[in-house]
Amino acid sequence: MTNLSSPTFGKSATRIDGPSKVTGAARYASDEPVANPAYAYLVTSTVAKGSIRAFMLDEARSIPGVLDILTFENVGNEAKAPPSGGDGVTTTMEDSRIWHDGQIIAIVIAETYEAARDAAHRVRVEYVTLAPSASFDSDGVTREPHKPLFPGQKDTRIGDVAAALEGAPVVVDAHYSTPTQHHNPIELYTTTCLWDGPKLIIYEPSQFMWGAKNGVAAQLGISPDDVRVVSRYVGGAFGGKANLTARTAWIAIAARRLRRPVKLVATRDQGFTIATYRAETRHHVKLGADRDGHLRAFYHHAQELSSRPSGYNVSGIEATARMYKCPNIDTGLEVVHADRNTPGFMRAPPEVPYMFALECAIDELASKLGIDPVELRRINEPEVDPADGKPFSSRSLIECYERGMEAFGWSKRDPAPGSMRDGDWLIGYGCATACYPSNIAPAAVRLTIQPDGKVKVDLAGHELGTGAYTTVALAASQALGMPLNDIEIRMGDSDLPPVTGAGGSNNAATTVNVMLKACEELRRRLAVAAVASPDSPFSGKTETELRFRDGALTDGRKSEPLNQVLSRITHGPLELKVDNVPDGMPPDSIANLYKGQMALSGGGLRKDVTAYSFGCHFVEVRVHRLTREVRSPRVISVFAAGTIVNPLTAHSQLIGGAIWGLSSALHESTEIDPATARYVNDNFADYRIPVNADVPEVQIVVLEERDDKVNPAGIKGIGELGNVGMNAAVANAVFHATGIRVRDLPITAEKLI
């Protein structure tokens, strides 16, 4: 693998796609120009359980410009339900059944968006209504033990937890909960479909274009070769655009019926029910410890809410079992089925809710023991993975805490709850651990060197706002020794070589490693030709002696421009296609990727090491003694995450994660009516998120960390790391300020009265 000691990595670079984005030249899915489009508007269910007895469509059809209305009655047999990562997915228009509130039950197509919207609001539906089950405690829910979402996931049972708890001098036994939350990216859920003969072209924001390509083909019963998905830029996703949703196939069917392009831009409130979200969770945590702080027992059993047909779950007990040294561990998960739409991945899906429970419980234990919360974590820092005994690829958690304590001024903390004040404001300091598995996935790339020595890179990568174009360009620049402006990156199209979905913070590790592998193959090919040519300055050398530098091939003393080296092989461009299967993954991973199957290697799923990124948060909160308003004026977060390809965009991602963690703690909750199982605050007026005034100061510190075991480039991933643990740090700070322990998120004023 190419040497990574060059200074390119670690130096901040502005986004190469920045000018396109700020000038409006960057095309998002709904911006893609199509000729003579018709416009779609969704009709969604107003009940959460039952069936459709009849549609009354005459008034809707009377609106000028209406072209078609799709229901299960006229198209229900034309598409299968989309494939799901769980045991099923809620259907939409295949039949008359209503699985959840806000389910797509009809689609109106018209000449204009306004006509489609007007007609959709005139569709009348007669339902057969049944009493729905809204949440954990509702009548009619069903329960089952979870089934692993990924091969290798398992509960952890080591030793005898019951006996260890019985004999422990100090025990924490507490229940925690996290609410339903929704992604709400700025870019709405949109789909544009058009047919070119038998070929279907889909413009849709996607975190996994090859998954969408194969999934829609399966739904429609056509060949994946006849489906192209284009998603050049995504205006935020956070997991909500990872799985194929039901809308895509129906818009394709509408376009086929009309023989013209059809464009859908779903509304903000529809996005709450036609896509996925973070499932609500409940946790029962027990910690048993000696009086000196050493853990004897760790018990973590949880519940996750899912839809009726799906067993989807995230099983965050995988992470919590690996955090602290403990000889007796018992973890488990139960899935509760209710009349809700199917949940899905939402940034750091397992770790955000599960680490909240663990990190709050650790803080409660520290309080009971009279031990500083950081010191308690130091006492229980493991030498190996507590769940299975594997070594960590690297683990710099204590170093993160030490740096954070110093930067935050933790030594000024009076440990007594309610002891620190500033006038009418109660001051609290809290901390918590951040972690996230370091994932990597199979990928392919096409690299082309042009006769002028410049390079084109093609791969079906995903730009979600994280700087993916720049990351890939930096990897190519690093390996080829040429400036960024000599490298053209093309992504966002399923006609390009496949890349696994942008989820699990694998994107940088996956794309950079396959890019470096392709550059190494290019170096080898050019070097072999150079040393074999009698008129080459490298004649008689070995190919391993040659490297790229400054747009040339060099042995350290002599150099030859790349265009001249290339002319020894061809007078045209040289194209290489390279696949990368990460170590430990099965050899058929690439073949499965071409079939649209997503697979990751990392975290605790590896057989040789446990691979995680780590960090910590230190938070100051202020709680008004009378109104109980909570403010967080100061946050310092410290992370260690291996090779940082671009510190500028990494810093931005980690700030965003920390702010989202604050939002998870103090603001976000999707409220549901327990009687009707309908979301109440499905809009930006009522779904609370932080604004600038809520987050005065966030300081990010990234420690240098080299990890040679995680992958050849040493990249551990940061996209989801930043928001893990922040909710617990805030809750712990609120307890320190007030003496009130809030175990059910979000932390609102009424919970502190």
Side-chain angles (χ1 to χ4, degrees), residues 211-269:
K213 170 192 180 80
N214 283 270
V216 171
Q219 284 188 268
L220 299 179
I222 62 178
S223 168
D225 293 338
D226 287 335
V227 180
R228 178 188 177 199
V229 179
V230 179
S231 181
R232 305 181 206 279
Y233 296 95
V234 180
F238 316 123
K241 295 164 184 172
N243 293 327
L244 184 64
T245 67
R247 72 185 191 273
T248 309
W250 301 117
I251 299 303
I253 289 168
R256 185 169 60 190
R257 285 167 65 91
L258 293 176
R259 298 183 180 179
R260 63 189 282 193
V262 173
K263 179 173 289 195
L264 167 73
V265 178
T267 63
R268 176 65 62 187
D269 62 316

Short mmCIF file of all heavy atoms in Angstrom, two decimals, residues 211-269:
data_model
loop_
_atom_site.label_atom_id
_atom_site.label_comp_id
_atom_site.label_asym_id
_atom_site.label_seq_id
_atom_site.Cartn_x
_atom_site.Cartn_y
_atom_site.Cartn_z
N GLY A 211 -27.53 -0.04 -3.94
CA GLY A 211 -28.62 -0.68 -3.23
C GLY A 211 -29.97 -0.28 -3.80
O GLY A 211 -30.86 -1.12 -4.00
N ALA A 212 -30.13 1.02 -4.09
CA ALA A 212 -31.38 1.50 -4.68
C ALA A 212 -31.58 0.91 -6.08
O ALA A 212 -32.70 0.52 -6.44
CB ALA A 212 -31.38 3.02 -4.73
N LYS A 213 -30.52 0.86 -6.85
CA LYS A 213 -30.58 0.32 -8.21
C LYS A 213 -31.11 -1.11 -8.20
O LYS A 213 -32.05 -1.46 -8.93
CB LYS A 213 -29.18 0.38 -8.81
CG LYS A 213 -28.94 -0.35 -10.12
CD LYS A 213 -27.43 -0.41 -10.39
CE LYS A 213 -27.08 -1.12 -11.67
NZ LYS A 213 -27.24 -0.25 -12.85
N ASN A 214 -30.53 -1.94 -7.36
CA ASN A 214 -30.94 -3.34 -7.30
C ASN A 214 -32.29 -3.50 -6.63
O ASN A 214 -33.09 -4.37 -7.01
CB ASN A 214 -29.88 -4.17 -6.56
CG ASN A 214 -28.67 -4.48 -7.42
OD1 ASN A 214 -28.62 -5.48 -8.10
ND2 ASN A 214 -27.67 -3.59 -7.38
N GLY A 215 -32.57 -2.67 -5.62
CA GLY A 215 -33.82 -2.78 -4.91
C GLY A 215 -35.02 -2.42 -5.77
O GLY A 215 -36.03 -3.14 -5.78
N VAL A 216 -34.93 -1.32 -6.53
CA VAL A 216 -36.04 -0.93 -7.40
C VAL A 216 -36.23 -1.97 -8.51
O VAL A 216 -37.37 -2.29 -8.89
CB VAL A 216 -35.80 0.47 -7.98
CG1 VAL A 216 -36.82 0.79 -9.06
CG2 VAL A 216 -35.87 1.52 -6.87
N ALA A 217 -35.12 -2.48 -9.02
CA ALA A 217 -35.23 -3.52 -10.05
C ALA A 217 -36.00 -4.73 -9.52
O ALA A 217 -36.87 -5.28 -10.22
CB ALA A 217 -33.84 -3.94 -10.52
N ALA A 218 -35.72 -5.14 -8.29
CA ALA A 218 -36.43 -6.27 -7.69
C ALA A 218 -37.90 -5.94 -7.49
O ALA A 218 -38.77 -6.80 -7.70
CB ALA A 218 -35.78 -6.65 -6.37
N GLN A 219 -38.19 -4.71 -7.07
CA GLN A 219 -39.59 -4.32 -6.89
C GLN A 219 -40.38 -4.38 -8.19
O GLN A 219 -41.54 -4.81 -8.21
CB GLN A 219 -39.67 -2.91 -6.32
CG GLN A 219 -39.34 -2.78 -4.85
CD GLN A 219 -39.64 -1.38 -4.37
OE1 GLN A 219 -38.78 -0.51 -4.39
NE2 GLN A 219 -40.89 -1.16 -3.98
N LEU A 220 -39.76 -3.92 -9.27
CA LEU A 220 -40.46 -3.81 -10.54
C LEU A 220 -40.32 -5.04 -11.41
O LEU A 220 -40.94 -5.13 -12.48
CB LEU A 220 -39.96 -2.58 -11.31
CG LEU A 220 -40.16 -1.22 -10.63
CD1 LEU A 220 -39.60 -0.11 -11.50
CD2 LEU A 220 -41.62 -0.97 -10.34
N GLY A 221 -39.47 -5.99 -10.99
CA GLY A 221 -39.28 -7.20 -11.76
C GLY A 221 -38.52 -6.97 -13.05
O GLY A 221 -38.78 -7.62 -14.08
N ILE A 222 -37.55 -6.05 -13.03
CA ILE A 222 -36.72 -5.79 -14.21
C ILE A 222 -35.26 -6.03 -13.85
O ILE A 222 -34.90 -6.23 -12.68
CB ILE A 222 -36.92 -4.35 -14.74
CG1 ILE A 222 -36.49 -3.32 -13.69
CG2 ILE A 222 -38.37 -4.13 -15.15
CD1 ILE A 222 -36.62 -1.87 -14.17
N SER A 223 -34.41 -6.01 -14.85
CA SER A 223 -32.99 -6.25 -14.62
C SER A 223 -32.34 -5.02 -13.97
O SER A 223 -32.62 -3.88 -14.38
CB SER A 223 -32.28 -6.56 -15.93
OG SER A 223 -30.87 -6.53 -15.77
N PRO A 224 -31.44 -5.23 -13.00
CA PRO A 224 -30.70 -4.08 -12.45
C PRO A 224 -29.91 -3.32 -13.51
O PRO A 224 -29.66 -2.12 -13.35
CB PRO A 224 -29.76 -4.72 -11.42
CG PRO A 224 -30.43 -6.01 -11.05
CD PRO A 224 -31.12 -6.48 -12.30
N ASP A 225 -29.54 -4.00 -14.60
CA ASP A 225 -28.82 -3.33 -15.67
C ASP A 225 -29.67 -2.27 -16.36
O ASP A 225 -29.15 -1.40 -17.06
CB ASP A 225 -28.34 -4.35 -16.71
CG ASP A 225 -27.28 -5.29 -16.16
OD1 ASP A 225 -26.62 -4.92 -15.16
OD2 ASP A 225 -27.14 -6.39 -16.71
N ASP A 226 -31.00 -2.36 -16.15
CA ASP A 226 -31.91 -1.40 -16.77
C ASP A 226 -32.28 -0.26 -15.82
O ASP A 226 -33.20 0.52 -16.12
CB ASP A 226 -33.19 -2.10 -17.24
CG ASP A 226 -32.96 -2.94 -18.48
OD1 ASP A 226 -32.01 -2.64 -19.23
OD2 ASP A 226 -33.72 -3.90 -18.70
N VAL A 227 -31.59 -0.16 -14.68
CA VAL A 227 -31.88 0.89 -13.71
C VAL A 227 -30.62 1.70 -13.45
O VAL A 227 -29.55 1.14 -13.20
CB VAL A 227 -32.41 0.31 -12.38
CG1 VAL A 227 -32.71 1.44 -11.40
CG2 VAL A 227 -33.66 -0.53 -12.61
N ARG A 228 -30.74 3.01 -13.52
CA ARG A 228 -29.64 3.92 -13.19
C ARG A 228 -30.13 4.89 -12.12
O ARG A 228 -31.19 5.50 -12.28
CB ARG A 228 -29.20 4.68 -14.43
CG ARG A 228 -28.09 5.70 -14.17
CD ARG A 228 -27.85 6.55 -15.41
NE ARG A 228 -26.86 7.60 -15.19
CZ ARG A 228 -26.73 8.68 -15.96
NH1 ARG A 228 -27.53 8.85 -17.01
NH2 ARG A 228 -25.81 9.58 -15.67
N VAL A 229 -29.38 5.01 -11.04
CA VAL A 229 -29.71 5.94 -9.96
C VAL A 229 -28.65 7.03 -9.93
O VAL A 229 -27.45 6.74 -9.89
CB VAL A 229 -29.77 5.21 -8.60
CG1 VAL A 229 -30.10 6.21 -7.48
CG2 VAL A 229 -30.81 4.10 -8.63
N VAL A 230 -29.09 8.28 -9.95
CA VAL A 230 -28.18 9.44 -9.94
C VAL A 230 -28.42 10.25 -8.68
O VAL A 230 -29.56 10.63 -8.39
CB VAL A 230 -28.38 10.31 -11.19
CG1 VAL A 230 -27.43 11.51 -11.16
CG2 VAL A 230 -28.17 9.49 -12.46
N SER A 231 -27.35 10.48 -7.94
CA SER A 231 -27.43 11.24 -6.69
C SER A 231 -26.10 11.95 -6.49
O SER A 231 -25.27 11.55 -5.67
CB SER A 231 -27.73 10.29 -5.51
OG SER A 231 -27.84 11.00 -4.30
N ARG A 232 -25.89 13.02 -7.27
CA ARG A 232 -24.59 13.69 -7.28
C ARG A 232 -24.28 14.37 -5.95
O ARG A 232 -23.14 14.38 -5.49
CB ARG A 232 -24.55 14.72 -8.41
CG ARG A 232 -24.89 14.16 -9.78
CD ARG A 232 -24.80 15.23 -10.86
NE ARG A 232 -25.66 14.92 -11.99
CZ ARG A 232 -25.35 14.09 -12.97
NH1 ARG A 232 -24.18 13.46 -12.96
NH2 ARG A 232 -26.19 13.87 -13.97
N TYR A 233 -25.29 14.94 -5.34
CA TYR A 233 -25.15 15.60 -4.04
C TYR A 233 -26.39 15.28 -3.21
O TYR A 233 -27.49 15.18 -3.74
CB TYR A 233 -25.03 17.12 -4.18
CG TYR A 233 -23.79 17.58 -4.91
CD1 TYR A 233 -23.83 17.85 -6.27
CD2 TYR A 233 -22.58 17.73 -4.24
CE1 TYR A 233 -22.71 18.27 -6.95
CE2 TYR A 233 -21.44 18.14 -4.91
CZ TYR A 233 -21.51 18.41 -6.27
OH TYR A 233 -20.39 18.82 -6.94
N VAL A 234 -26.19 15.14 -1.91
CA VAL A 234 -27.29 14.88 -0.99
C VAL A 234 -27.28 15.99 0.05
O VAL A 234 -26.26 16.26 0.67
CB VAL A 234 -27.15 13.50 -0.31
CG1 VAL A 234 -28.32 13.26 0.64
CG2 VAL A 234 -27.08 12.40 -1.36
N GLY A 235 -28.43 16.62 0.23
CA GLY A 235 -28.52 17.74 1.16
C GLY A 235 -28.82 17.29 2.57
O GLY A 235 -29.79 17.71 3.19
N GLY A 236 -27.96 16.43 3.10
CA GLY A 236 -28.16 15.86 4.42
C GLY A 236 -28.93 14.56 4.33
O GLY A 236 -29.85 14.41 3.53
N ALA A 237 -28.53 13.59 5.14
CA ALA A 237 -29.19 12.28 5.11
C ALA A 237 -29.33 11.70 6.51
O ALA A 237 -30.42 11.39 6.96
CB ALA A 237 -28.40 11.33 4.21
N PHE A 238 -28.19 11.53 7.19
CA PHE A 238 -28.16 11.10 8.59
C PHE A 238 -28.76 9.71 8.80
O PHE A 238 -29.16 9.35 9.91
CB PHE A 238 -28.89 12.12 9.49
CG PHE A 238 -28.56 13.55 9.18
CD1 PHE A 238 -29.55 14.45 8.84
CD2 PHE A 238 -27.25 13.99 9.18
CE1 PHE A 238 -29.24 15.77 8.53
CE2 PHE A 238 -26.92 15.29 8.88
CZ PHE A 238 -27.93 16.19 8.55
N GLY A 239 -28.85 8.90 7.74
CA GLY A 239 -29.46 7.58 7.81
C GLY A 239 -30.81 7.53 7.14
O GLY A 239 -31.27 6.47 6.72
N GLY A 240 -31.49 8.67 6.99
CA GLY A 240 -32.84 8.69 6.43
C GLY A 240 -32.89 8.36 4.95
O GLY A 240 -33.95 8.05 4.42
N LYS A 241 -31.74 8.44 4.26
CA LYS A 241 -31.71 8.14 2.83
C LYS A 241 -30.84 6.91 2.55
O LYS A 241 -30.33 6.73 1.45
CB LYS A 241 -31.21 9.38 2.08
CG LYS A 241 -32.19 10.55 2.20
CD LYS A 241 -31.61 11.89 1.82
CE LYS A 241 -32.65 13.00 2.08
NZ LYS A 241 -32.08 14.35 1.90
N ALA A 242 -30.70 6.07 3.59
CA ALA A 242 -29.88 4.86 3.44
C ALA A 242 -30.66 3.71 2.85
O ALA A 242 -30.17 2.98 1.99
CB ALA A 242 -29.31 4.45 4.80
N ASN A 243 -31.89 3.51 3.32
CA ASN A 243 -32.71 2.39 2.86
C ASN A 243 -33.65 2.84 1.75
O ASN A 243 -34.12 3.98 1.73
CB ASN A 243 -33.54 1.84 4.02
CG ASN A 243 -32.67 1.18 5.08
OD1 ASN A 243 -31.64 0.61 4.77
ND2 ASN A 243 -33.09 1.26 6.32
N LEU A 244 -33.93 1.91 0.86
CA LEU A 244 -34.90 2.18 -0.18
C LEU A 244 -36.28 2.32 0.45
O LEU A 244 -36.69 1.52 1.28
CB LEU A 244 -34.90 1.02 -1.18
CG LEU A 244 -35.80 1.17 -2.40
CD1 LEU A 244 -35.33 2.33 -3.26
CD2 LEU A 244 -35.80 -0.13 -3.20
N THR A 245 -37.00 3.37 0.08
CA THR A 245 -38.36 3.55 0.60
C THR A 245 -39.37 3.22 -0.49
O THR A 245 -39.03 3.02 -1.65
CB THR A 245 -38.58 4.99 1.08
OG1 THR A 245 -38.55 5.88 -0.05
CG2 THR A 245 -37.52 5.41 2.08
N ALA A 246 -40.64 3.18 -0.09
CA ALA A 246 -41.68 2.71 -1.00
C ALA A 246 -41.96 3.68 -2.14
O ALA A 246 -42.46 3.28 -3.19
CB ALA A 246 -42.96 2.46 -0.21
N ARG A 247 -41.65 4.96 -1.97
CA ARG A 247 -42.10 5.95 -2.94
C ARG A 247 -41.49 5.76 -4.32
O ARG A 247 -42.12 6.05 -5.34
CB ARG A 247 -41.80 7.36 -2.43
CG ARG A 247 -40.32 7.74 -2.46
CD ARG A 247 -40.06 9.10 -1.85
NE ARG A 247 -38.72 9.59 -2.08
CZ ARG A 247 -37.67 9.32 -1.30
NH1 ARG A 247 -37.82 8.54 -0.24
NH2 ARG A 247 -36.48 9.82 -1.59
N THR A 248 -40.24 5.26 -4.37
CA THR A 248 -39.48 5.26 -5.62
C THR A 248 -40.16 4.42 -6.70
O THR A 248 -40.33 4.87 -7.84
CB THR A 248 -38.06 4.75 -5.37
OG1 THR A 248 -37.49 5.46 -4.27
CG2 THR A 248 -37.19 4.93 -6.59
N ALA A 249 -40.55 3.20 -6.37
CA ALA A 249 -41.15 2.32 -7.37
C ALA A 249 -42.46 2.89 -7.90
O ALA A 249 -42.76 2.77 -9.10
CB ALA A 249 -41.39 0.94 -6.76
N TRP A 250 -43.24 3.55 -7.04
CA TRP A 250 -44.53 4.07 -7.49
C TRP A 250 -44.35 5.26 -8.43
O TRP A 250 -45.12 5.44 -9.38
CB TRP A 250 -45.40 4.46 -6.30
CG TRP A 250 -45.66 3.28 -5.39
CD1 TRP A 250 -45.26 3.16 -4.10
CD2 TRP A 250 -46.33 2.07 -5.72
NE1 TRP A 250 -45.65 1.94 -3.59
CE2 TRP A 250 -46.31 1.25 -4.57
CE3 TRP A 250 -46.95 1.58 -6.88
CZ2 TRP A 250 -46.88 -0.02 -4.54
CZ3 TRP A 250 -47.52 0.32 -6.85
CH2 TRP A 250 -47.49 -0.47 -5.69
N ILE A 251 -43.32 6.07 -8.18
CA ILE A 251 -43.05 7.19 -9.10
C ILE A 251 -42.56 6.64 -10.44
O ILE A 251 -42.91 7.16 -11.52
CB ILE A 251 -42.04 8.18 -8.49
CG1 ILE A 251 -42.60 8.76 -7.19
CG2 ILE A 251 -41.71 9.29 -9.48
CD1 ILE A 251 -43.94 9.46 -7.33
N ALA A 252 -41.78 5.55 -10.40
CA ALA A 252 -41.36 4.91 -11.65
C ALA A 252 -42.56 4.36 -12.42
O ALA A 252 -42.64 4.48 -13.65
CB ALA A 252 -40.37 3.78 -11.35
N ILE A 253 -43.50 3.78 -11.71
CA ILE A 253 -44.72 3.26 -12.34
C ILE A 253 -45.53 4.41 -12.93
O ILE A 253 -46.06 4.31 -14.05
CB ILE A 253 -45.53 2.45 -11.31
CG1 ILE A 253 -44.81 1.14 -11.01
CG2 ILE A 253 -46.95 2.19 -11.81
CD1 ILE A 253 -45.37 0.40 -9.81
N ALA A 254 -45.63 5.51 -12.21
CA ALA A 254 -46.36 6.67 -12.73
C ALA A 254 -45.73 7.17 -14.02
O ALA A 254 -46.43 7.50 -15.00
CB ALA A 254 -46.38 7.77 -11.67
N ALA A 255 -44.39 7.24 -14.04
CA ALA A 255 -43.70 7.71 -15.25
C ALA A 255 -43.91 6.75 -16.41
O ALA A 255 -44.04 7.18 -17.57
CB ALA A 255 -42.21 7.88 -14.95
N ARG A 256 -43.95 5.47 -16.11
CA ARG A 256 -44.18 4.48 -17.17
C ARG A 256 -45.60 4.59 -17.73
O ARG A 256 -45.82 4.49 -18.94
CB ARG A 256 -43.92 3.08 -16.62
CG ARG A 256 -44.00 1.97 -17.66
CD ARG A 256 -43.47 0.67 -17.09
NE ARG A 256 -44.22 0.23 -15.92
CZ ARG A 256 -43.84 -0.78 -15.12
NH1 ARG A 256 -42.68 -1.40 -15.36
NH2 ARG A 256 -44.57 -1.13 -14.09
N ARG A 257 -46.57 4.82 -16.83
CA ARG A 257 -47.96 4.95 -17.27
C ARG A 257 -48.16 6.18 -18.15
O ARG A 257 -48.89 6.14 -19.15
CB ARG A 257 -48.89 5.01 -16.05
CG ARG A 257 -49.09 3.69 -15.36
CD ARG A 257 -49.73 3.88 -13.99
NE ARG A 257 -51.08 4.42 -14.05
CZ ARG A 257 -52.21 3.70 -14.12
NH1 ARG A 257 -52.14 2.37 -14.16
NH2 ARG A 257 -53.40 4.28 -14.15
N LEU A 258 -47.50 7.28 -17.77
CA LEU A 258 -47.69 8.54 -18.50
C LEU A 258 -46.74 8.70 -19.68
O LEU A 258 -46.92 9.59 -20.52
CB LEU A 258 -47.51 9.72 -17.56
CG LEU A 258 -48.56 9.89 -16.46
CD1 LEU A 258 -48.19 11.04 -15.55
CD2 LEU A 258 -49.94 10.12 -17.06
N ARG A 259 -45.68 7.87 -19.70
CA ARG A 259 -44.65 7.95 -20.75
C ARG A 259 -44.01 9.34 -20.77
O ARG A 259 -43.72 9.91 -21.83
CB ARG A 259 -45.23 7.60 -22.12
CG ARG A 259 -45.75 6.18 -22.19
CD ARG A 259 -46.25 5.82 -23.57
NE ARG A 259 -46.74 4.45 -23.59
CZ ARG A 259 -47.26 3.85 -24.66
NH1 ARG A 259 -47.34 4.53 -25.80
NH2 ARG A 259 -47.68 2.61 -24.60
N ARG A 260 -43.76 9.86 -19.57
CA ARG A 260 -43.05 11.12 -19.43
C ARG A 260 -42.44 11.17 -18.03
O ARG A 260 -42.87 10.43 -17.14
CB ARG A 260 -43.97 12.32 -19.68
CG ARG A 260 -45.10 12.43 -18.68
CD ARG A 260 -46.12 13.49 -19.05
NE ARG A 260 -45.67 14.84 -18.75
CZ ARG A 260 -46.49 15.89 -18.76
NH1 ARG A 260 -47.78 15.73 -19.07
NH2 ARG A 260 -46.03 17.09 -18.47
N PRO A 261 -41.47 12.02 -17.79
CA PRO A 261 -40.86 12.09 -16.45
C PRO A 261 -41.88 12.54 -15.41
O PRO A 261 -42.77 13.35 -15.69
CB PRO A 261 -39.76 13.14 -16.61
CG PRO A 261 -39.48 13.18 -18.07
CD PRO A 261 -40.79 12.90 -18.75
N VAL A 262 -41.72 12.01 -14.20
CA VAL A 262 -42.57 12.40 -13.07
C VAL A 262 -41.66 12.79 -11.92
O VAL A 262 -40.70 12.08 -11.60
CB VAL A 262 -43.52 11.28 -12.65
CG1 VAL A 262 -44.26 11.66 -11.37
CG2 VAL A 262 -44.51 10.97 -13.76
N LYS A 263 -41.98 13.93 -11.31
CA LYS A 263 -41.15 14.47 -10.22
C LYS A 263 -41.97 14.56 -8.95
O LYS A 263 -43.08 15.09 -8.93
CB LYS A 263 -40.62 15.85 -10.62
CG LYS A 263 -39.76 16.53 -9.56
CD LYS A 263 -39.13 17.82 -10.08
CE LYS A 263 -38.04 17.53 -11.10
NZ LYS A 263 -37.18 18.72 -11.34
N LEU A 264 -41.39 14.03 -7.86
CA LEU A 264 -42.02 14.11 -6.53
C LEU A 264 -41.09 14.84 -5.58
O LEU A 264 -39.90 14.49 -5.49
CB LEU A 264 -42.29 12.70 -5.98
CG LEU A 264 -42.65 12.64 -4.49
CD1 LEU A 264 -44.05 13.18 -4.24
CD2 LEU A 264 -42.52 11.22 -3.94
N VAL A 265 -41.61 15.80 -4.86
CA VAL A 265 -40.92 16.40 -3.72
C VAL A 265 -41.90 16.29 -2.54
O VAL A 265 -42.87 17.02 -2.46
CB VAL A 265 -40.53 17.86 -3.96
CG1 VAL A 265 -39.85 18.44 -2.72
CG2 VAL A 265 -39.60 17.97 -5.17
N ALA A 266 -41.64 15.33 -1.67
CA ALA A 266 -42.54 15.12 -0.53
C ALA A 266 -42.46 16.32 0.42
O ALA A 266 -41.45 17.03 0.48
CB ALA A 266 -42.17 13.84 0.21
N THR A 267 -43.50 16.53 1.18
CA THR A 267 -43.53 17.66 2.12
C THR A 267 -42.76 17.30 3.38
O THR A 267 -42.44 16.13 3.64
CB THR A 267 -44.97 18.02 2.48
OG1 THR A 267 -45.58 16.90 3.14
CG2 THR A 267 -45.77 18.36 1.24
N ARG A 268 -42.48 18.31 4.19
CA ARG A 268 -41.75 18.09 5.44
C ARG A 268 -42.49 17.11 6.36
O ARG A 268 -41.91 16.19 6.90
CB ARG A 268 -41.51 19.43 6.15
CG ARG A 268 -40.84 19.33 7.51
CD ARG A 268 -39.41 18.81 7.43
NE ARG A 268 -38.55 19.66 6.64
CZ ARG A 268 -37.29 19.35 6.32
NH1 ARG A 268 -36.77 18.20 6.73
NH2 ARG A 268 -36.55 20.18 5.61
N ASP A 269 -43.80 17.30 6.52
CA ASP A 269 -44.53 16.41 7.43
C ASP A 269 -44.62 15.00 6.88
O ASP A 269 -44.59 14.03 7.64
CB ASP A 269 -45.92 16.98 7.74
CG ASP A 269 -46.80 17.10 6.52
OD1 ASP A 269 -46.31 17.57 5.48
OD2 ASP A 269 -47.98 16.72 6.61
#
